[in-house]
Amino acid sequence: MALSDTIKRLGAGAIEASNPVAVMFGKVTKTNPLEVNVDQRFTLDEDFLIVPEQLTRYEVDLKHKHTTSSEDTGEALTEKVVIREGLKAGDTVLLLRVQGGQKYVVLDKVVGG
């Protein structure tokens, strides 16, 4: 076997052994604490997940009161306004396994299909 073939084979083996990045699908099974079941094979808890801000719940308190010289209109928008729902149980997510396989980045929710 030629030296170049041996080097190629060793390089390919090193890449396989290091668990290179992989894209997977998962389903959110629980939100507090977050759990995602991957390809119906194993479940990841929040210790193994990196969730970007855009996939977290975001709500704003816009409660306010208008007062004029003649009257008080009372409070408006008494409930918080939800800007982003965040992840919910049943959502399908696209996951990116970080090299080494210890952490998974939740890239986005999958819609349709």
Side-chain angles (χ1 to χ4, degrees), residues 63-110:
K63 182 171 46 174
H64 62 283
K65 188 194 290 194
H66 293 277
T67 305
T68 64
S69 58
S70 61
E71 69 177 318
D72 182 358
T73 61
E75 290 190 351
L77 296 172
T78 56
E79 299 294 319
K80 289 185 176 181
V81 176
V82 177
I83 306 298
R84 283 190 311 262
E85 283 291 333
L87 295 173
K88 295 181 283 190
D91 284 344
T92 299
V93 293
L94 187 61
L95 299 166
L96 181 69
R97 184 183 71 205
V98 178
Q99 190 162 354
Q102 296 301 311
K103 293 279 188 176
Y104 293 76
V105 177
V106 182
L107 291 175
D108 212 345
K109 286 194 241 187
V110 177

Side-chain angles (χ1 to χ4, degrees), residues 33-48:
L34 182 61
E35 287 185 355
V36 175
N37 183 273
V38 181
D39 295 330
Q40 298 178 349
R41 294 184 296 143
F42 57 93
T43 299
L44 299 168
D45 64 29
E46 59 188 16
D47 293 336
F48 295 94

